[in-house]
C-alpha cells in the first residue's frame, strides 16, 4: 500500500464518522423527547373537541362531524390522519407528526390537530 492509499482510507473513515456521530446525539435527544409528556389538541370548527395523550400504544380516534369523517391514529408518541372522506384528501399528506407545534389540518371538515407539551393542558381522555 502506498501513502495515498492510507490517506484515502483515513478520509473515508473521517467522513463515515461524521455521519455516525450526529445520529448518536439525535437518538439521545429523541429519547429525551419521549420522556416529555405530549398531547394532541383536536379542534373542530374552532372549538376544542378533545385532548388526547400521545402514547406508544396504538389508538384510533374516529371524528364524525357535520362536515364529514376523519380517522386519526396515535402510535409511537405521535399522531397521523389515516383516512378522511373529503374530496381533496390533503390532510393525509401531513404524515406522522411527533413534535410540539406541528399540525394536521383538514380544511373541508374544519379539523385541526396540534401537538403541544402538556404543561397546563388537561387530558380529556385516552382512546383505546
Amino acid at each position: 500500500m502506498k501513502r495515498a492509499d492510507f490517506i484515502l482510507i483515513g478520509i473515508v473513515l473521517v467522513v463515515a464518522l461524521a455521519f455516525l456521530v450526529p445520529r448518536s446525539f439525535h437518538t439521545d435527544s429523541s429519547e429525551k423527547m419521549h420522556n416529555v409528556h405530549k398531547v394532541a389538541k383536536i379542534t373542530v370548527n374552532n372549538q376544542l373537541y378533545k385532548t388526547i395523550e400521545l402514547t406508544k400504544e396504538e389508538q384510533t380516534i374516529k371524528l364524525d362531524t357535520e362536515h364529514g369523517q376523519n380517522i386519526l391514529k396515535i402510535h409511537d408518541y405521535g399522531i397521523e390522519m389515516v383516512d378522511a372522506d373529503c374530496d381533496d384528501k390533503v390532510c393525509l399528506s401531513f404524515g406522522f407528526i411527533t413534535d410540539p407545534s406541528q399540525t394536521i389540518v383538514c380544511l373541508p371538515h374544519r379539523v385541526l390537530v396540534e401537538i403541544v407539551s402538556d404543561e397546563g393542558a388537561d387530558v380529556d381522555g385516552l382512546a383505546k
Side-chain angles (χ1 to χ4, degrees):
M1 289 178 104
K2 296 182 181 178
R3 180 179 174 176
D5 293 332
F6 287 114
I7 292 173
L8 181 61
I9 291 170
I11 290 173
V12 169
L13 288 175
V14 168
V15 170
L17 287 175
F19 285 106
L20 293 177
V21 170
R23 278 190 173 192
S24 64
F25 287 124
H26 184 269
T27 303
D28 292 341
S29 65
S30 67
E31 288 175 6
K32 289 177 186 173
M33 282 302 292
H34 290 312
N35 293 335
V36 174
H37 197 254
K38 296 180 287 187
V39 296
K41 292 174 83 175
I42 303 169
T43 307
V44 177
N45 249 355
N46 210 22
Q47 300 290 324
L48 183 63
Y49 177 80
K50 190 177 266 191
T51 303
I52 297 291
E53 180 181 359
L54 299 179
T55 61
K56 184 162 181 64
E57 294 80 29
E58 188 172 309
Q59 306 171 45
T60 303
I61 299 171
K62 187 175 179 182
L63 293 172
D64 287 314
T65 67
E66 60 188 45
H67 303 288
Q69 182 183 76
N70 297 76
I71 298 176
L72 296 165
K73 184 177 175 183
I74 297 170
H75 60 93
D76 298 322
Y77 303 103
I79 189 167
E80 65 182 319
M81 183 93 55
V82 293
D83 194 24
D85 63 0
C86 55
D87 293 331
D88 59 6
K89 300 205 187 290
V90 172
C91 54
L92 302 180
S93 68
F94 284 87
F96 181 68
I97 61 173
T98 58
D99 296 326
S101 78
Q102 287 184 315
T103 59
I104 299 173
V105 180
C106 182
L107 287 176
H109 295 168
R110 300 178 183 156
V111 173
L112 169 68
V113 180
E114 177 181 24
I115 296 180
V116 295
S117 89
D118 70 341
E119 293 178 4
D122 293 327
V123 175
D124 292 339
L126 292 173
K128 299 253 179 186

